CSV table of all heavy atoms in Angstrom, one decimal:
chain,number,residue,atom,x,y,z
A,1,MET,N,51.6,-74.4,-9.2
A,1,MET,CA,52.2,-73.1,-9.2
A,1,MET,C,51.3,-72.1,-8.5
A,1,MET,O,51.7,-71.1,-8.0
A,1,MET,CB,52.5,-72.6,-10.6
A,1,MET,CG,53.0,-71.2,-10.6
A,1,MET,SD,54.1,-70.9,-11.9
A,1,MET,CE,53.8,-69.2,-12.3
A,2,PHE,N,50.0,-72.4,-8.4
A,2,PHE,CA,49.0,-71.5,-7.8
A,2,PHE,C,49.3,-71.2,-6.3
A,2,PHE,O,49.3,-70.1,-5.9
A,2,PHE,CB,47.6,-72.0,-8.0
A,2,PHE,CG,46.6,-71.1,-7.4
A,2,PHE,CD1,46.2,-69.9,-8.1
A,2,PHE,CD2,45.9,-71.4,-6.3
A,2,PHE,CE1,45.3,-69.1,-7.5
A,2,PHE,CE2,45.0,-70.6,-5.7
A,2,PHE,CZ,44.6,-69.4,-6.4
A,3,ILE,N,49.6,-72.3,-5.6
A,3,ILE,CA,49.8,-72.1,-4.1
A,3,ILE,C,51.0,-71.3,-3.8
A,3,ILE,O,51.0,-70.3,-3.0
A,3,ILE,CB,49.9,-73.5,-3.4
A,3,ILE,CG1,48.6,-74.3,-3.6
A,3,ILE,CG2,50.2,-73.4,-2.0
A,3,ILE,CD1,47.4,-73.6,-2.9
A,4,PRO,N,52.2,-71.6,-4.5
A,4,PRO,CA,53.4,-70.7,-4.2
A,4,PRO,C,53.1,-69.3,-4.6
A,4,PRO,O,53.6,-68.3,-3.9
A,4,PRO,CB,54.5,-71.4,-5.0
A,4,PRO,CG,54.1,-72.8,-5.2
A,4,PRO,CD,52.6,-72.7,-5.3
A,5,LEU,N,52.4,-69.1,-5.7
A,5,LEU,CA,52.1,-67.7,-6.1
A,5,LEU,C,51.2,-67.0,-5.1
A,5,LEU,O,51.4,-65.8,-4.8
A,5,LEU,CB,51.4,-67.7,-7.5
A,5,LEU,CG,51.4,-66.5,-8.3
A,5,LEU,CD1,52.8,-65.9,-8.4
A,5,LEU,CD2,50.8,-66.7,-9.7
A,6,MET,N,50.2,-67.7,-4.5
A,6,MET,CA,49.4,-67.1,-3.5
A,6,MET,C,50.2,-66.8,-2.2
A,6,MET,O,50.0,-65.8,-1.6
A,6,MET,CB,48.2,-68.0,-3.2
A,6,MET,CG,47.2,-68.1,-4.3
A,6,MET,SD,46.6,-66.5,-4.9
A,6,MET,CE,45.7,-66.0,-3.4
A,7,MET,N,51.1,-67.7,-1.9
A,7,MET,CA,51.9,-67.5,-0.7
A,7,MET,C,52.8,-66.3,-0.9
A,7,MET,O,53.0,-65.5,0.0
A,7,MET,CB,52.7,-68.8,-0.4
A,7,MET,CG,51.9,-69.9,0.1
A,7,MET,SD,51.0,-69.6,1.6
A,7,MET,CE,52.4,-69.2,2.7
A,8,LEU,N,53.3,-66.1,-2.1
A,8,LEU,CA,54.1,-65.0,-2.4
A,8,LEU,C,53.3,-63.7,-2.2
A,8,LEU,O,53.8,-62.7,-1.5
A,8,LEU,CB,54.7,-65.0,-3.8
A,8,LEU,CG,55.4,-63.8,-4.3
A,8,LEU,CD1,56.7,-63.5,-3.4
A,8,LEU,CD2,55.8,-63.9,-5.8
A,9,ALA,N,52.1,-63.7,-2.6
A,9,ALA,CA,51.2,-62.5,-2.4
A,9,ALA,C,51.0,-62.2,-0.9
A,9,ALA,O,51.1,-61.1,-0.5
A,9,ALA,CB,49.9,-62.7,-3.2
A,10,VAL,N,50.7,-63.2,-0.2
A,10,VAL,CA,50.5,-63.1,1.3
A,10,VAL,C,51.7,-62.6,2.0
A,10,VAL,O,51.7,-61.6,2.8
A,10,VAL,CB,50.0,-64.4,1.9
A,10,VAL,CG1,50.0,-64.3,3.4
A,10,VAL,CG2,48.6,-64.7,1.4
A,11,GLU,N,52.9,-63.2,1.7
A,11,GLU,CA,54.1,-62.8,2.3
A,11,GLU,C,54.5,-61.4,1.9
A,11,GLU,O,55.0,-60.6,2.8
A,11,GLU,CB,55.2,-63.8,1.9
A,11,GLU,CG,55.0,-65.2,2.5
A,11,GLU,CD,55.8,-66.3,1.7
A,11,GLU,OE1,56.4,-66.0,0.7
A,11,GLU,OE2,55.7,-67.4,2.2
A,12,ALA,N,54.4,-61.0,0.7
A,12,ALA,CA,54.7,-59.7,0.2
A,12,ALA,C,53.8,-58.7,0.9
A,12,ALA,O,54.3,-57.6,1.2
A,12,ALA,CB,54.6,-59.6,-1.3
A,13,ASN,N,52.6,-59.0,1.1
A,13,ASN,CA,51.7,-58.1,1.8
A,13,ASN,C,52.2,-57.8,3.2
A,13,ASN,O,52.1,-56.6,3.7
A,13,ASN,CB,50.2,-58.7,1.9
A,13,ASN,CG,49.2,-57.7,2.4
A,13,ASN,OD1,49.3,-56.5,2.0
A,13,ASN,ND2,48.3,-58.1,3.2
A,14,GLY,N,52.7,-58.8,3.9
A,14,GLY,CA,53.2,-58.6,5.2
A,14,GLY,C,54.4,-57.7,5.2
A,14,GLY,O,54.6,-56.8,6.1
A,15,VAL,N,55.3,-57.8,4.2
A,15,VAL,CA,56.4,-57.0,4.1
A,15,VAL,C,56.0,-55.5,3.8
A,15,VAL,O,56.6,-54.6,4.3
A,15,VAL,CB,57.4,-57.5,3.0
A,15,VAL,CG1,58.5,-56.5,2.7
A,15,VAL,CG2,58.0,-58.8,3.4
A,16,VAL,N,55.0,-55.3,3.0
A,16,VAL,CA,54.5,-54.0,2.6
A,16,VAL,C,54.0,-53.3,3.9
A,16,VAL,O,54.3,-52.1,4.1
A,16,VAL,CB,53.4,-54.1,1.6
A,16,VAL,CG1,52.7,-52.7,1.5
A,16,VAL,CG2,53.9,-54.5,0.2
A,17,VAL,N,53.3,-54.0,4.8
A,17,VAL,CA,52.8,-53.4,6.0
A,17,VAL,C,54.0,-53.0,6.9
A,17,VAL,O,54.0,-51.8,7.4
A,17,VAL,CB,51.9,-54.4,6.8
A,17,VAL,CG1,51.7,-54.0,8.2
A,17,VAL,CG2,50.6,-54.7,6.0
A,18,LEU,N,55.0,-53.8,7.0
A,18,LEU,CA,56.1,-53.5,7.9
A,18,LEU,C,56.9,-52.3,7.3
A,18,LEU,O,57.3,-51.4,8.0
A,18,LEU,CB,57.1,-54.7,8.0
A,18,LEU,CG,56.6,-55.9,8.8
A,18,LEU,CD1,57.5,-57.0,8.7
A,18,LEU,CD2,56.3,-55.5,10.2
A,19,ARG,N,57.0,-52.2,6.0
A,19,ARG,CA,57.7,-51.1,5.4
A,19,ARG,C,56.9,-49.8,5.4
A,19,ARG,O,57.5,-48.7,5.7
A,19,ARG,CB,58.1,-51.4,3.9
A,19,ARG,CG,59.2,-52.5,3.9
A,19,ARG,CD,59.7,-52.7,2.5
A,19,ARG,NE,61.2,-53.0,2.6
A,19,ARG,CZ,61.9,-53.4,1.6
A,19,ARG,NH1,61.4,-53.5,0.4
A,19,ARG,NH2,63.2,-53.6,1.8
A,20,LEU,N,55.6,-49.9,5.3
A,20,LEU,CA,54.8,-48.7,5.4
A,20,LEU,C,54.9,-48.1,6.8
A,20,LEU,O,55.0,-46.9,7.0
A,20,LEU,CB,53.4,-49.0,5.1
A,20,LEU,CG,53.1,-49.1,3.6
A,20,LEU,CD1,51.6,-49.5,3.3
A,20,LEU,CD2,53.4,-47.8,2.9
A,21,LEU,N,54.9,-49.0,7.8
A,21,LEU,CA,55.1,-48.5,9.2
A,21,LEU,C,56.4,-47.8,9.4
A,21,LEU,O,56.5,-46.7,10.0
A,21,LEU,CB,55.0,-49.7,10.2
A,21,LEU,CG,53.6,-50.3,10.3
A,21,LEU,CD1,53.7,-51.6,11.2
A,21,LEU,CD2,52.6,-49.3,11.0
A,22,LYS,N,57.5,-48.3,8.8
A,22,LYS,CA,58.8,-47.7,8.9
A,22,LYS,C,58.8,-46.3,8.1
A,22,LYS,O,59.3,-45.3,8.6
A,22,LYS,CB,59.8,-48.6,8.3
A,22,LYS,CG,61.2,-48.2,8.7
A,22,LYS,CD,62.2,-49.3,8.4
A,22,LYS,CE,63.4,-49.1,9.3
A,22,LYS,NZ,64.3,-50.2,9.1
A,23,LEU,N,58.1,-46.3,7.0
A,23,LEU,CA,58.1,-45.0,6.2
A,23,LEU,C,57.3,-44.0,6.9
A,23,LEU,O,57.6,-42.8,6.9
A,23,LEU,CB,57.4,-45.3,4.8
A,23,LEU,CG,58.3,-46.1,3.8
A,23,LEU,CD1,57.5,-46.4,2.6
A,23,LEU,CD2,59.6,-45.3,3.5
A,24,MET,N,56.2,-44.4,7.6
A,24,MET,CA,55.4,-43.4,8.4
A,24,MET,C,56.1,-42.8,9.6
A,24,MET,O,55.8,-41.7,10.0
A,24,MET,CB,54.1,-44.1,8.8
A,24,MET,CG,53.2,-44.4,7.7
A,24,MET,SD,51.6,-45.1,8.1
A,24,MET,CE,51.6,-45.5,9.8
A,25,SER,N,57.2,-43.5,10.0
A,25,SER,CA,57.9,-43.0,11.2
A,25,SER,C,58.8,-41.8,10.8
A,25,SER,O,59.1,-40.9,11.6
A,25,SER,CB,58.8,-44.1,11.8
A,25,SER,OG,59.9,-44.4,10.9
A,26,GLY,N,59.1,-41.7,9.5
A,26,GLY,CA,59.8,-40.5,9.0
A,26,GLY,C,61.3,-40.6,9.3
A,26,GLY,O,61.8,-41.6,9.8
A,27,GLY,N,62.0,-39.5,9.0
A,27,GLY,CA,63.4,-39.4,9.3
A,27,GLY,C,64.3,-40.1,8.3
A,27,GLY,O,63.9,-40.6,7.3
A,28,SER,N,65.6,-40.2,8.7
A,28,SER,CA,66.6,-40.8,7.9
A,28,SER,C,66.3,-42.3,7.7
A,28,SER,O,66.6,-42.9,6.6
A,28,SER,CB,68.0,-40.6,8.4
A,28,SER,OG,68.1,-41.2,9.7
A,29,ASN,N,65.7,-43.0,8.7
A,29,ASN,CA,65.4,-44.4,8.5
A,29,ASN,C,64.4,-44.6,7.4
A,29,ASN,O,64.4,-45.6,6.7
A,29,ASN,CB,64.9,-45.0,9.8
A,29,ASN,CG,66.1,-45.2,10.8
A,29,ASN,OD1,67.2,-45.3,10.4
A,29,ASN,ND2,65.7,-45.3,12.1
A,30,ALA,N,63.4,-43.7,7.3
A,30,ALA,CA,62.4,-43.9,6.3
A,30,ALA,C,63.0,-43.6,4.9
A,30,ALA,O,62.6,-44.3,4.0
A,30,ALA,CB,61.3,-42.9,6.6
A,31,LEU,N,63.9,-42.6,4.8
A,31,LEU,CA,64.5,-42.4,3.5
A,31,LEU,C,65.3,-43.6,3.1
A,31,LEU,O,65.2,-44.0,1.9
A,31,LEU,CB,65.4,-41.1,3.6
A,31,LEU,CG,66.1,-40.7,2.4
A,31,LEU,CD1,65.2,-40.4,1.2
A,31,LEU,CD2,67.0,-39.5,2.6
A,32,ARG,N,66.1,-44.1,4.0
A,32,ARG,CA,66.9,-45.3,3.7
A,32,ARG,C,66.0,-46.5,3.3
A,32,ARG,O,66.3,-47.2,2.3
A,32,ARG,CB,67.7,-45.7,4.9
A,32,ARG,CG,68.5,-47.0,4.7
A,32,ARG,CD,69.6,-46.8,3.6
A,32,ARG,NE,70.2,-48.1,3.4
A,32,ARG,CZ,70.4,-48.6,2.2
A,32,ARG,NH1,70.0,-48.0,1.1
A,32,ARG,NH2,71.0,-49.8,2.1
A,33,GLU,N,64.9,-46.7,3.9
A,33,GLU,CA,63.9,-47.7,3.6
A,33,GLU,C,63.4,-47.5,2.2
A,33,GLU,O,63.2,-48.5,1.4
A,33,GLU,CB,62.8,-47.8,4.6
A,33,GLU,CG,61.9,-49.0,4.5
A,33,GLU,CD,62.6,-50.3,4.8
A,33,GLU,OE1,63.6,-50.4,5.5
A,33,GLU,OE2,62.1,-51.3,4.2
A,34,ALA,N,63.0,-46.3,1.8
A,34,ALA,CA,62.5,-46.0,0.5
A,34,ALA,C,63.5,-46.3,-0.6
A,34,ALA,O,63.2,-46.9,-1.6
A,34,ALA,CB,62.1,-44.6,0.4
A,35,GLU,N,64.8,-46.0,-0.3
A,35,GLU,CA,65.8,-46.3,-1.3
A,35,GLU,C,66.1,-47.8,-1.4
A,35,GLU,O,66.2,-48.3,-2.5
A,35,GLU,CB,67.1,-45.6,-0.8
A,35,GLU,CG,67.1,-44.1,-0.9
A,35,GLU,CD,68.3,-43.4,-0.3
A,35,GLU,OE1,69.1,-44.1,0.4
A,35,GLU,OE2,68.4,-42.2,-0.4
A,36,LEU,N,66.0,-48.5,-0.3
A,36,LEU,CA,66.2,-49.9,-0.3
A,36,LEU,C,65.1,-50.6,-1.0
A,36,LEU,O,65.3,-51.6,-1.8
A,36,LEU,CB,66.3,-50.4,1.2
A,36,LEU,CG,66.7,-51.8,1.4
A,36,LEU,CD1,68.0,-52.1,0.8
A,36,LEU,CD2,66.7,-52.1,2.9
A,37,MET,N,63.8,-50.1,-0.8
A,37,MET,CA,62.7,-50.7,-1.5
A,37,MET,C,62.9,-50.7,-3.0
A,37,MET,O,62.7,-51.7,-3.7
A,37,MET,CB,61.4,-50.0,-1.1
A,37,MET,CG,60.9,-50.3,0.2
A,37,MET,SD,59.6,-49.3,0.8
A,37,MET,CE,58.5,-49.1,-0.6
A,38,VAL,N,63.3,-49.5,-3.5
A,38,VAL,CA,63.5,-49.4,-5.0
A,38,VAL,C,64.6,-50.2,-5.5
A,38,VAL,O,64.5,-51.0,-6.5
A,38,VAL,CB,63.7,-47.9,-5.4
A,38,VAL,CG1,64.0,-47.7,-6.8
A,38,VAL,CG2,62.4,-47.1,-5.0
A,39,SER,N,65.8,-50.2,-4.8
A,39,SER,CA,66.9,-50.9,-5.3
A,39,SER,C,66.7,-52.4,-5.3
A,39,SER,O,67.1,-53.2,-6.2
A,39,SER,CB,68.2,-50.6,-4.5
A,39,SER,OG,68.1,-51.0,-3.2
A,40,GLU,N,66.0,-52.9,-4.2
A,40,GLU,CA,65.7,-54.3,-4.1
A,40,GLU,C,64.8,-54.8,-5.3
A,40,GLU,O,64.9,-55.9,-5.8
A,40,GLU,CB,65.0,-54.7,-2.8
A,40,GLU,CG,66.0,-54.7,-1.6
A,40,GLU,CD,65.3,-54.9,-0.3
A,40,GLU,OE1,64.0,-54.8,-0.3
A,40,GLU,OE2,66.0,-55.1,0.7
A,41,LYS,N,63.8,-54.0,-5.6
A,41,LYS,CA,62.9,-54.3,-6.7
A,41,LYS,C,63.6,-54.4,-8.0
A,41,LYS,O,63.3,-55.3,-8.8
A,41,LYS,CB,61.7,-53.4,-6.7
A,41,LYS,CG,60.7,-53.7,-5.6
A,41,LYS,CD,59.6,-52.7,-5.5
A,41,LYS,CE,58.6,-52.9,-4.4
A,41,LYS,NZ,59.2,-53.1,-3.1
A,42,VAL,N,64.4,-53.4,-8.3
A,42,VAL,CA,65.2,-53.4,-9.5
A,42,VAL,C,66.1,-54.6,-9.6
A,42,VAL,O,66.1,-55.3,-10.6
A,42,VAL,CB,66.0,-52.1,-9.7
A,42,VAL,CG1,67.0,-52.1,-10.8
A,42,VAL,CG2,65.0,-50.9,-9.8
A,43,ASP,N,66.8,-54.9,-8.5
A,43,ASP,CA,67.7,-56.1,-8.5
A,43,ASP,C,66.9,-57.4,-8.7
A,43,ASP,O,67.4,-58.2,-9.5
A,43,ASP,CB,68.5,-56.1,-7.2
A,43,ASP,CG,69.5,-55.0,-7.0
A,43,ASP,OD1,69.8,-54.3,-8.0
A,43,ASP,OD2,69.9,-54.8,-5.9
A,44,ALA,N,65.8,-57.5,-8.1
A,44,ALA,CA,65.0,-58.7,-8.2
A,44,ALA,C,64.4,-58.8,-9.6
A,44,ALA,O,64.4,-60.0,-10.2
A,44,ALA,CB,63.8,-58.7,-7.2
A,45,ALA,N,64.1,-57.7,-10.2
A,45,ALA,CA,63.6,-57.8,-11.6
A,45,ALA,C,64.7,-58.2,-12.6
A,45,ALA,O,64.4,-59.0,-13.5
A,45,ALA,CB,63.0,-56.4,-12.0
A,46,PHE,N,65.9,-57.6,-12.4
A,46,PHE,CA,67.0,-58.0,-13.3
A,46,PHE,C,67.3,-59.5,-13.1
A,46,PHE,O,67.6,-60.2,-14.1
A,46,PHE,CB,68.2,-57.2,-13.0
A,46,PHE,CG,68.2,-55.9,-13.7
A,46,PHE,CD1,68.3,-54.7,-13.0
A,46,PHE,CD2,68.1,-55.8,-15.1
A,46,PHE,CE1,68.3,-53.5,-13.6
A,46,PHE,CE2,68.1,-54.6,-15.7
A,46,PHE,CZ,68.2,-53.4,-15.0
A,47,GLU,N,67.3,-60.0,-11.9
A,47,GLU,CA,67.6,-61.4,-11.6
A,47,GLU,C,66.6,-62.3,-12.2
A,47,GLU,O,66.9,-63.3,-12.9
A,47,GLU,CB,67.7,-61.6,-10.1
A,47,GLU,CG,68.0,-63.1,-9.7
A,47,GLU,CD,68.0,-63.3,-8.3
A,47,GLU,OE1,68.2,-62.4,-7.4
A,47,GLU,OE2,67.7,-64.5,-7.9
A,48,ALA,N,65.3,-61.9,-12.1
A,48,ALA,CA,64.2,-62.8,-12.7
A,48,ALA,C,64.3,-62.8,-14.2
A,48,ALA,O,64.2,-63.8,-14.8
A,48,ALA,CB,62.9,-62.2,-12.3
A,49,THR,N,64.6,-61.7,-14.8
A,49,THR,CA,64.8,-61.6,-16.2
A,49,THR,C,66.0,-62.5,-16.7
A,49,THR,O,65.8,-63.2,-17.7
A,49,THR,CB,65.0,-60.1,-16.7
A,49,THR,OG1,63.9,-59.4,-16.3
A,49,THR,CG2,65.2,-60.1,-18.2
A,50,ALA,N,67.1,-62.4,-16.0
A,50,ALA,CA,68.2,-63.2,-16.4
A,50,ALA,C,67.9,-64.7,-16.2
A,50,ALA,O,68.3,-65.5,-17.1
A,50,ALA,CB,69.4,-62.8,-15.5
A,51,ASN,N,67.2,-65.0,-15.1
A,51,ASN,CA,66.9,-66.4,-14.9
A,51,ASN,C,65.9,-66.9,-16.0
A,51,ASN,O,66.0,-68.1,-16.5
A,51,ASN,CB,66.3,-66.6,-13.5
A,51,ASN,CG,67.3,-66.5,-12.4
A,51,ASN,OD1,68.5,-66.6,-12.7
A,51,ASN,ND2,66.9,-66.3,-11.2
A,52,LEU,N,65.0,-66.1,-16.4
A,52,LEU,CA,64.1,-66.5,-17.5
A,52,LEU,C,64.8,-66.7,-18.8
A,52,LEU,O,64.6,-67.6,-19.5
A,52,LEU,CB,63.0,-65.4,-17.6
A,52,LEU,CG,61.8,-65.5,-16.7
A,52,LEU,CD1,60.9,-64.3,-16.8
A,52,LEU,CD2,61.0,-66.8,-16.8
A,53,MET,N,65.7,-65.8,-19.1
A,53,MET,CA,66.5,-65.9,-20.3
A,53,MET,C,67.4,-67.2,-20.3
A,53,MET,O,67.7,-67.7,-21.3
A,53,MET,CB,67.3,-64.7,-20.5
A,53,MET,CG,66.5,-63.4,-20.9
A,53,MET,SD,67.4,-61.9,-21.0
A,53,MET,CE,68.4,-62.3,-22.5
A,54,ALA,N,67.8,-67.6,-19.1
A,54,ALA,CA,68.6,-68.8,-18.9
A,54,ALA,C,67.8,-70.1,-18.9
A,54,ALA,O,68.3,-71.2,-18.8
A,54,ALA,CB,69.4,-68.7,-17.7
A,55,GLY,N,66.5,-69.9,-19.0
A,55,GLY,CA,65.6,-71.1,-19.1
A,55,GLY,C,64.9,-71.5,-17.8
A,55,GLY,O,64.3,-72.6,-17.7
A,56,ALA,N,64.9,-70.7,-16.8
A,56,ALA,CA,64.2,-71.0,-15.5
A,56,ALA,C,62.7,-71.0,-15.7
A,56,ALA,O,62.2,-70.3,-16.6
A,56,ALA,CB,64.5,-70.0,-14.4
A,57,SER,N,62.0,-71.9,-15.0
A,57,SER,CA,60.6,-72.0,-15.1
A,57,SER,C,59.9,-70.9,-14.2
A,57,SER,O,60.6,-70.3,-13.4
A,57,SER,CB,60.1,-73.4,-14.6
A,57,SER,OG,60.4,-73.5,-13.2
A,58,GLY,N,58.6,-70.7,-14.4
A,58,GLY,CA,57.9,-69.8,-13.6
A,58,GLY,C,57.9,-70.2,-12.1
A,58,GLY,O,58.0,-69.3,-11.2
A,59,ASP,N,57.9,-71.5,-11.8
A,59,ASP,CA,58.0,-72.0,-10.4
A,59,ASP,C,59.3,-71.6,-9.8
A,59,ASP,O,59.3,-71.2,-8.6
A,59,ASP,CB,57.8,-73.5,-10.4
A,59,ASP,CG,56.4,-73.9,-10.6
A,59,ASP,OD1,55.5,-73.2,-10.2
A,59,ASP,OD2,56.2,-75.1,-11.1
A,60,GLU,N,60.4,-71.7,-10.5
A,60,GLU,CA,61.7,-71.3,-10.0
A,60,GLU,C,61.8,-69.8,-9.7
A,60,GLU,O,62.3,-69.4,-8.7
A,60,GLU,CB,62.8,-71.7,-11.0
A,60,GLU,CG,62.9,-73.2,-11.1
A,60,GLU,CD,63.8,-73.6,-12.3
A,60,GLU,OE1,63.9,-72.9,-13.3
A,60,GLU,OE2,64.5,-74.7,-12.1
A,61,ILE,N,61.2,-69.0,-10.6
A,61,ILE,CA,61.2,-67.6,-10.4
A,61,ILE,C,60.4,-67.2,-9.2
A,61,ILE,O,60.8,-66.4,-8.4
A,61,ILE,CB,60.6,-66.8,-11.7
A,61,ILE,CG1,61.4,-67.2,-12.9
A,61,ILE,CG2,60.5,-65.3,-11.4
A,61,ILE,CD1,62.9,-66.8,-12.9
A,62,VAL,N,59.2,-67.8,-9.0
A,62,VAL,CA,58.4,-67.5,-7.8
A,62,VAL,C,59.1,-67.9,-6.6
A,62,VAL,O,59.1,-67.2,-5.6
A,62,VAL,CB,57.0,-68.2,-8.0
A,62,VAL,CG1,56.2,-68.1,-6.6
A,62,VAL,CG2,56.2,-67.6,-9.1
A,63,HIS,N,59.7,-69.1,-6.6
A,63,HIS,CA,60.5,-69.6,-5.5
A,63,HIS,C,61.6,-68.6,-5.1
A,63,HIS,O,61.8,-68.3,-3.9
A,63,HIS,CB,61.1,-71.0,-5.8
A,63,HIS,CG,62.0,-71.5,-4.7
A,63,HIS,ND1,61.4,-72.0,-3.5
A,63,HIS,CD2,63.3,-71.6,-4.6
A,63,HIS,CE1,62.4,-72.4,-2.7
A,63,HIS,NE2,63.6,-72.2,-3.3
A,64,ARG,N,62.3,-68.1,-6.1
A,64,ARG,CA,63.4,-67.1,-5.8
A,64,ARG,C,62.8,-65.8,-5.2
A,64,ARG,O,63.4,-65.2,-4.3
A,64,ARG,CB,64.2,-66.9,-7.0
A,64,ARG,CG,65.4,-66.0,-6.8
A,64,ARG,CD,66.4,-66.7,-5.9
A,64,ARG,NE,67.5,-65.8,-5.7
A,64,ARG,CZ,68.1,-65.5,-4.5
A,64,ARG,NH1,67.6,-66.1,-3.5
A,64,ARG,NH2,69.0,-64.6,-4.5
A,65,TYR,N,61.7,-65.3,-5.8
A,65,TYR,CA,61.1,-64.1,-5.3
A,65,TYR,C,60.7,-64.3,-3.8
A,65,TYR,O,60.8,-63.4,-3.0
A,65,TYR,CB,59.9,-63.7,-6.1
A,65,TYR,CG,60.1,-62.6,-7.1
A,65,TYR,CD1,60.4,-62.9,-8.4
A,65,TYR,CD2,60.2,-61.3,-6.7
A,65,TYR,CE1,60.6,-62.0,-9.4
A,65,TYR,CE2,60.4,-60.3,-7.7
A,65,TYR,CZ,60.6,-60.6,-9.0
A,65,TYR,OH,60.9,-59.7,-9.9
A,66,ARG,N,60.1,-65.5,-3.5
A,66,ARG,CA,59.7,-65.8,-2.1
A,66,ARG,C,61.0,-65.7,-1.2
A,66,ARG,O,60.8,-65.3,0.0
A,66,ARG,CB,59.0,-67.1,-2.0
A,66,ARG,CG,57.6,-67.1,-2.6
A,66,ARG,CD,56.9,-68.3,-2.3
A,66,ARG,NE,56.6,-68.5,-0.9
A,66,ARG,CZ,56.2,-69.6,-0.3
A,66,ARG,NH1,56.2,-70.7,-1.1
A,66,ARG,NH2,56.0,-69.7,0.9
A,67,GLN,N,62.1,-66.2,-1.7
A,67,GLN,CA,63.3,-66.1,-0.9
A,67,GLN,C,63.7,-64.6,-0.6
A,67,GLN,O,64.1,-64.3,0.5
A,67,GLN,CB,64.5,-66.8,-1.5
A,67,GLN,CG,64.4,-68.3,-1.6
A,67,GLN,CD,65.5,-69.0,-2.3
A,67,GLN,OE1,66.1,-68.4,-3.2
A,67,GLN,NE2,65.7,-70.2,-2.0
A,68,HIS,N,63.5,-63.8,-1.6
A,68,HIS,CA,63.8,-62.4,-1.4
A,68,HIS,C,62.9,-61.7,-0.4
A,68,HIS,O,63.3,-61.0,0.4
A,68,HIS,CB,63.7,-61.6,-2.8
A,68,HIS,CG,64.9,-61.8,-3.7
A,68,HIS,ND1,66.1,-61.3,-3.4
A,68,HIS,CD2,65.0,-62.4,-4.9
A,68,HIS,CE1,67.0,-61.6,-4.4
A,68,HIS,NE2,66.3,-62.3,-5.3
A,69,VAL,N,61.6,-62.1,-0.5
A,69,VAL,CA,60.6,-61.5,0.4
A,69,VAL,C,60.8,-61.9,1.8
A,69,VAL,O,60.7,-61.1,2.7
A,69,VAL,CB,59.2,-61.9,-0.1
A,69,VAL,CG1,58.1,-61.5,0.9
A,69,VAL,CG2,58.8,-61.2,-1.4
A,70,ALA,N,61.2,-63.2,2.0
A,70,ALA,CA,61.5,-63.7,3.3
A,70,ALA,C,62.6,-62.9,4.0
A,70,ALA,O,62.7,-62.7,5.1
A,70,ALA,CB,61.8,-65.2,3.3
């Protein structure tokens, strides 16, 4: 599980960089990106919680988060 978790961290870092660049550009695109960032995180957290309650393993949760990040 360590390697997929580290890969998630690296991949998420790349997404953060791209999103920060978009936010720094300002305007309506930046506002839309900020709204999208929040809604995606809330949706992913609800999905992860539901999957955990349904018996998913930590590996499965990390795999799904990596799909979202990609």
